[in-house]
Amino acid sequence: MLSYFSFLKLFRFKKNIEHPKVNLSDLSERLKYKFTDTNILYQALKHRSYLTRTGEKRIESNERLELLGDAVLGLVVTEYLYNKYPGEEEGILTNFKSLLVNRKLLSHVAKDFGLGKFILLNEAEERSGGRKRVSILSDAVEAIIGAIYIDGGLVNAKLFIHNNITNRLDDILKKGQLKNYKSILQEYCQSYNIKCPKYKIEEENGPDHKKIFTVAAFVDGKKMGVGQGHSKKDAEQKAAKESLIQLNVI
């Protein structure tokens, strides 16, 4: 098994490399973290498309840092929720976690930093709107978390996550997102890279003024939950809730 310091060596970079393509000092100020080794921040910004311009191998993109950052984010968020809600069961904590680690929220974090303009892309990806793409922005945030962890350890990574991610939970809950089962199911699927849920009307019964809709929710192509209501939206919410129960999320 690799020691902690042997593991860190896998991420070491050459010192004093100039990166004229991006203003790392400006970004560091926005992130409120000063990197000892700015080369790791540079790599965190390097989308795989950019490698077609530099001729580098896939390993030089930000994907390894993204993988590490995702793991660190998951650990820190789970620990935070475990301590903050000592009386809640696992399903509720999983629900809360899905609200904090999903791509949509991370992309909002990226936009708050103006991160899009710092990400390194090739011309084709840039022309197609890559700087505003949710997946690219959220991946870059995870890569930056990984970079901070490597450069400054878990303490600094936790501080960054608490200042920019977990501190949003109370506001999310105040907006009532927990009552929107379709939203929760959507966030759950995004968090675990599952195909987005689909809803299908299976039956319509009763007169027009008192019609009952039966809707099935499909998750990753599988029928997961069924709900009934006097409107399509109500039936979809109930189908989403049943799906979350089947998935042990609530």
Side-chain angles (χ1 to χ4, degrees), residues 131-170:
R131 296 195 184 281
K132 296 181 180 179
R133 187 165 296 127
V134 169
S135 59
I136 291 178
L137 291 172
S138 60
D139 289 349
V141 170
E142 290 181 335
I144 286 173
I145 291 171
I148 292 174
Y149 174 76
I150 291 297
D151 188 76
L154 184 58
V155 171
N156 284 297
K158 287 176 74 171
L159 183 61
F160 178 84
I161 291 168
H162 290 324
N163 286 341
N164 298 288
I165 297 173
T166 58
N167 65 345
R168 298 172 186 246
L169 181 60
D170 288 342

Side-chain angles (χ1 to χ4, degrees), residues 106-126:
L106 294 180
S107 69
H108 285 312
V109 173
K111 290 174 182 177
D112 288 345
F113 289 127
L115 188 59
K117 75 175 186 177
F118 295 96
I119 297 175
L120 296 164
L121 307 166
N122 67 9
E123 293 179 356
E125 190 65 56
E126 187 164 2

Side-chain angles (χ1 to χ4, degrees), residues 45-102:
L45 301 171
K46 200 184 298 184
H47 185 259
R48 63 177 176 269
S49 68
Y50 188 71
L51 305 182
T52 62
R53 300 179 61 178
T54 64
E56 295 172 290
K57 295 181 179 179
R58 181 74 171 261
I59 199 172
E60 296 299 328
S61 74
N62 65 0
E63 291 177 334
R64 277 162 48 88
L65 286 171
E66 175 201 336
L67 173 67
L68 178 62
D70 176 66
V72 174
L73 175 62
L75 170 64
V76 172
V77 168
T78 303
E79 181 190 44
Y80 167 79
L81 295 172
Y82 181 87
N83 292 326
K84 183 176 176 65
Y85 301 102
E88 295 291 0
E89 296 180 356
E90 179 268 345
I92 297 298
L93 299 184
T94 299
N95 190 357
F96 287 174
K97 180 183 177 183
S98 71
L99 296 174
L100 292 172
V101 302
N102 65 83

Side-chain angles (χ1 to χ4, degrees), residues 6-51:
S6 296
F7 177 73
L8 292 185
K9 287 180 181 178
L10 296 174
F11 289 88
R12 290 305 181 195
F13 302 87
K14 293 180 180 180
K15 301 292 185 178
N16 302 319
I17 299 176
E18 294 185 3
H19 307 303
K21 300 288 185 181
V22 61
N23 189 334
L24 298 178
S25 296
D26 182 13
L27 179 56
S28 292
E29 289 181 7
R30 295 176 184 226
L31 298 175
K32 292 183 171 57
Y33 177 78
K34 185 175 182 180
F35 282 83
T36 300
D37 181 4
T38 56
N39 297 295
I40 195 170
L41 174 59
Y42 179 73
Q43 182 160 2
L45 301 171
K46 200 184 298 184
H47 185 259
R48 63 177 176 269
S49 68
Y50 188 71
L51 305 182

Side-chain angles (χ1 to χ4, degrees), residues 218-236:
F218 292 81
V219 177
D220 200 22
K222 299 178 182 178
K223 185 175 179 178
M224 192 63 61
V226 176
Q228 289 186 328
H230 289 293
S231 70
K232 294 178 184 178
K233 289 184 178 180
D234 185 34
E236 287 175 354

